[in-house]
Amino acid sequence: DAGVIQSPRHEVTEMGQEVTLRCKPISGHNSLFWYRQTMMRGLELLIYFNNNVPIDDSGMPEDRFSAKMPNASFSTLKIQPSEPRDSAVYFCASSLGREGGQGGHEQYFGPGTRLTVT
Amino acid sequence: AQSVTQPDIHITVSEGASLELRCNYSYGATPYLFWYVQSPGQGLQLLLKYFSGDTLVQGIKGFEAEFKRSQSSFNLRKPSVHWSDAAEYFCAVGGYSTLTFGKGTMLLVSP
């Protein structure tokens, strides 16, 4: 298996621009997670999906952030408009969760997207 | 609420020496416990996991961890460290859905 695929690997953009990060989970996995990693705050869960449905988005910083999962093999995280404080590494992870939104299984991480907002 | 504490931000170990990284967790029920490793510029890679059963679990790259319920700990060990083990290590606890990660411990390996 190719593992979790994320694109782009690096993104540099100017403040105010829209940024879209993409993720392809491992085939057959039914849970998908978006994380943000910074030196100050460590690894933070932003949102997670189960069977393409958002289950918990309480970690999304504010309305500038949105995430979608139109099908089992693709998800996007969008920031509009972007701000310098959004600079971080964004990770996507997937797992084979149990039915009903329950997990309890290990998560497999993608390589991340390093976002720099100037 | 679940939480994970990794008390050591940095640890330096000589190559060939043994290693123990500490992890303490807080969780209301029987936890699922994980150790991940992150090399610079890379994503997190799963080293090992504990769900139930034998409290000593073996992982990849020669790592092992022991679950001690009485101490709420899940420490990671390796008998002989290699230079390639230099990385950041994350302990995580989870229940039925999401994982909570510790802040990480950076392992430095000296020659």
Side-chain angles (χ1 to χ4, degrees):
Chain A
D1 199 314
V4 176
I5 299 172
Q6 291 186 248
S7 64
R9 290 295 310 276
H10 302 273
E11 177 79 41
V12 180
T13 190
E14 293 183 347
M15 183 174 61
Q17 296 299 306
E18 177 180 295
V19 174
T20 300
L21 311 182
R22 297 172 176 80
C23 174
K24 176 178 170 56
I26 292 173
S27 177
H29 283 188
N30 60 0
S31 293
L32 183 139
F33 306 82
W34 282 101
Y35 291 90
R36 178 172 67 177
Q37 185 179 41
T38 61
M39 289 290 290
M40 292 296 294
R41 301 173 68 92
L43 199 60
E44 303 173 277
L45 176 66
L46 300 178
I47 185 171
Y48 86 95
F49 296 83
N50 182 260
N51 293 325
N52 312 336
V53 176
I55 303 299
D56 184 357
D57 65 354
S58 60
M60 297 285 263
E62 49 198 273
D63 292 344
R64 297 185 297 107
F65 285 69
S66 63
K68 294 182 180 180
M69 192 165 185
N71 57 62
S73 59
F74 184 66
S75 177
T76 60
L77 177 67
K78 185 177 294 186
I79 308 173
Q80 165 64 18
S82 58
E83 296 182 2
R85 60 190 168 127
D86 302 329
S87 297
V89 180
Y90 291 81
F91 288 104
C92 176
S94 70
S95 74
L96 182 59
R98 300 177 188 172
E99 291 184 4
Q102 296 183 341
H105 290 260
E106 59 269 30
Q107 296 178 18
Y108 294 87
F109 282 74
T113 296
R114 181 172 295 277
L115 174 64
T116 302
V117 184
T118 60
Chain B
Q2 58 200 50
S3 65
V4 175
T5 301
Q6 293 181 246
D8 303 305
I9 299 175
H10 296 99
I11 281 186
T12 300
V13 175
S14 298
E15 190 168 16
S18 64
L19 168 70
E20 183 168 25
L21 301 182
R22 296 183 290 166
C23 172
N24 292 98
Y25 68 90
S26 173
Y27 192 74
T30 299
Y32 299 107
L33 293 159
F34 307 83
W35 275 100
Y36 285 84
V37 60
Q38 184 180 27
S39 298
Q42 303 296 315
L44 279 70
Q45 181 184 21
L46 180 68
L47 281 177
L48 48 78
K49 61 189 178 185
Y50 171 78
F51 286 169
S52 64
D54 192 346
T55 56
L56 183 64
V57 293
Q58 303 296 320
I60 62 172
K61 304 184 181 185
F63 286 92
E64 66 178 26
E66 186 171 13
F67 170 58
K68 293 185 177 180
R69 184 188 301 274
S70 62
Q71 299 178 18
S72 298
S73 70
F74 189 56
N75 294 349
L76 182 71
R77 302 194 294 247
K78 186 171 185 177
S80 177
V81 168
H82 188 261
W83 64 267
S84 60
D85 294 324
E88 190 159 21
Y89 292 79
F90 294 88
C91 181
V93 64
Y96 289 116
S97 55
T98 59
L99 296 182
T100 298
F101 285 84
K103 296 294 187 185
T105 298
M106 182 67 72
L107 173 64
L108 305 174
V109 180
S110 61

